[in-house]
Each structure stands twice: as C-alpha cells, then as structure tokens.
Amino acid sequence: LYGDGARAVVVEPSEEESGLLSPHLGCDGRKVHIIEVPNSGTGGYRFRENYNIFDINFDGREIFKLAVKGMASEVKKVLADVGLQREDIDLIIPHQANLRIIESLASHLGVDMAKVMVNIDRYGNTSAATIPLALDEANRAGKLKEHDIIVLNAFGGGFTWASACLRW
C-alpha cells in the first residue's frame, strides 16, 4: 500500500510562456476526523504511556467520496482561472493514493485514462512524493511535450488539497 520515494522539482525563470499558470491550496478542518493520526506530531502528548503506539482514523468511504469530488472541483477551478477547458488538458498527474480514486476522478472530469498518469501500481502510495515521481516518470517516458497543459492534483490528511495548472 505504501511505498517510499523522493523527488524534487526545480523551477527556473524562462522567457517562454511556460511554468505555473494557476495554483490553488485548500483545507477543510471540519473533516480532520476522517483521515488523521490523533495524538501525534507536535500536537501529541509525548509523556503518555505508549506514546509511540498510534491510532489511525481512516474513514475510507468518506475519504473516497470527498477526494474524488474535491479533486474534480479543484481541476475545474485551476482551469477556469486561466480560461482553459478539460479538453485542453494534455496530462493529469494526480496524487497516487488509490487507483479507484484516480479512475473516478477521470470519469467525473470526462477525461480518458490515457491522459492520466498512473504509477501507483509500481510504487504504491509514496505520500508527498507521488506527484513529483509521476511527473519525472512522465517526462522520462516522453509523455510531456513543450507547451503541454498539465494539471497536478492532490489531497491528504487533515483534509487538505492542492492543485496546479502548468504549461510544460
């Protein structure tokens, strides 16, 4: 289910009309209970007995519904910010948490899976590294061409999300 990976993306100035076109970040703290590790990190009480034994709150059905609906909404939002339509997308690179979520996202958007980068089947969920790994893999495989419209899209714990539309 979970893999391990790391990547970094280097962004540099360009005279070309390329790069980040529209970013969006969001959070709905009211949904924190559906995907969290209570009593952990800086919010944890580290002097309790068995501090290193964690509970995990994970409501899979609710996460699935909110992830698909939220990710689709975010894709539409970043495209609208720059006056683009889903037909303009050359590749969507979503967070690689669950193949069913990715397939449902494509279905909700009316985008063919051929335009969606998937590598969860090879690496598992690599958490924050999923999008940079998939971006690198797509680039190395020749799936990205100059001026392509790419949408990056993720969701996570606490109920947070991020989307970006960029021109390659």
Side-chain angles (χ1 to χ4, degrees):
L1 293 177
Y2 281 97
D4 187 19
R7 281 289 192 270
V9 176
V10 178
V11 180
E12 59 186 31
S14 172
E15 297 298 319
E16 297 283 324
E17 186 181 327
S18 62
L20 184 61
L21 303 177
S22 175
H24 189 263
L25 303 170
C27 177
D28 185 350
R30 296 171 297 179
K31 305 292 184 192
V32 69
H33 63 282
I34 69 168
I35 183 171
E36 71 172 338
V37 179
N39 197 46
S40 65
T42 58
Y45 180 66
R46 63 179 195 260
F47 299 109
R48 80 171 190 173
E49 188 175 330
N50 297 326
Y51 173 70
N52 292 324
I53 298 174
F54 295 102
D55 291 321
I56 297 176
N57 293 340
F58 192 90
D59 182 344
R61 289 179 193 258
E62 189 67 10
I63 292 166
F64 183 90
K65 288 189 309 188
L66 290 172
V68 172
K69 182 179 174 187
M71 290 173 76
S73 174
E74 290 299 308
V75 169
K76 293 172 186 173
K77 192 175 295 182
V78 295
L79 290 174
D81 285 350
V82 291
L84 297 172
Q85 304 294 319
R86 68 171 189 234
E87 295 81 18
D88 298 315
I89 298 172
D90 294 296
L91 190 65
I92 296 175
I93 302 178
H95 176 52
Q96 305 287 310
N98 176 303
L99 182 58
R100 285 185 51 237
I101 290 173
I102 295 168
E103 290 170 339
S104 292
L105 170 66
S107 177
H108 272 70
L109 292 171
V111 173
D112 189 286
M113 280 298 292
K115 288 188 168 192
V116 181
M117 183 63 192
V118 175
N119 67 9
I120 190 171
D121 55 326
R122 292 182 299 285
Y123 308 120
N125 180 349
T126 56
S127 192
T130 65
I131 290 175
L133 282 168
L135 180 65
D136 180 54
E137 188 174 335
N139 186 42
R140 290 174 190 254
K143 293 182 178 184
L144 303 177
K145 295 175 226 46
E146 190 173 354
H147 303 295
D148 275 358
I149 296 297
I150 303 164
V151 176
L152 313 177
N153 193 251
F155 70 95
F159 218 70
T160 58
W161 57 84
S163 292
C165 178
L166 54 99
R167 184 180 312 276
W168 190 250

